[in-house]
């Protein structure tokens, strides 16, 4: 199984969040990364998802599962 998706995620996190911040301590890093992942999943549009957010794609799939069941 190829983990290219995880590698791309971590590359994105590093370049869009980690490398741009100077975290004072571990708690600041945790809080900032939490905010980033909320943004990444809920607001940041992804070209590989046809301009949709990961959250939207997830919930669209859940609705399809519910209707099929």
């Amino acid at each position: 199984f190829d983990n290219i998706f995880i590698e791309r995620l971590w590359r994105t996190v590093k370049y869009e969040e980690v490398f741009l911040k100077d975290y004072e301590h571990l708690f600041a890093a945790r809080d900032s990364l939490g905010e980033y992942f909320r943004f990444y999943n809920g607001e940041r549009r992804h070209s590989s998802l046809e301009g949709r957010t990961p959250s939207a794609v997830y919930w669209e799939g859940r609705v399809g599962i519910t209707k099929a069941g």
Side-chain angles (χ1 to χ4, degrees):
F1 182 57
D2 191 6
N3 67 350
I4 188 71
F5 300 111
I6 298 301
E7 295 295 331
R8 286 181 184 168
L9 170 65
W10 287 122
R11 183 192 65 201
T12 301
V13 170
K14 288 189 293 186
Y15 281 97
E16 292 185 3
E17 172 67 18
V18 176
F19 293 161
L20 302 177
K21 304 281 177 89
D22 183 23
Y23 304 116
E24 298 269 336
H25 46 77
L26 179 63
F27 299 114
R30 183 187 65 190
D31 292 344
S32 187
L33 285 166
E35 289 176 24
Y36 179 77
F37 278 110
R38 282 187 287 280
F39 163 75
Y40 184 89
N41 288 317
E43 297 177 39
R44 184 181 184 275
R45 300 191 180 276
H46 297 252
S47 59
S48 63
L49 300 176
E50 300 174 350
R52 297 176 293 167
T53 65
S55 182
V57 172
Y58 172 80
W59 288 108
E60 288 169 11
R62 297 290 298 168
V63 169
I65 291 171
T66 303
K67 287 180 180 178

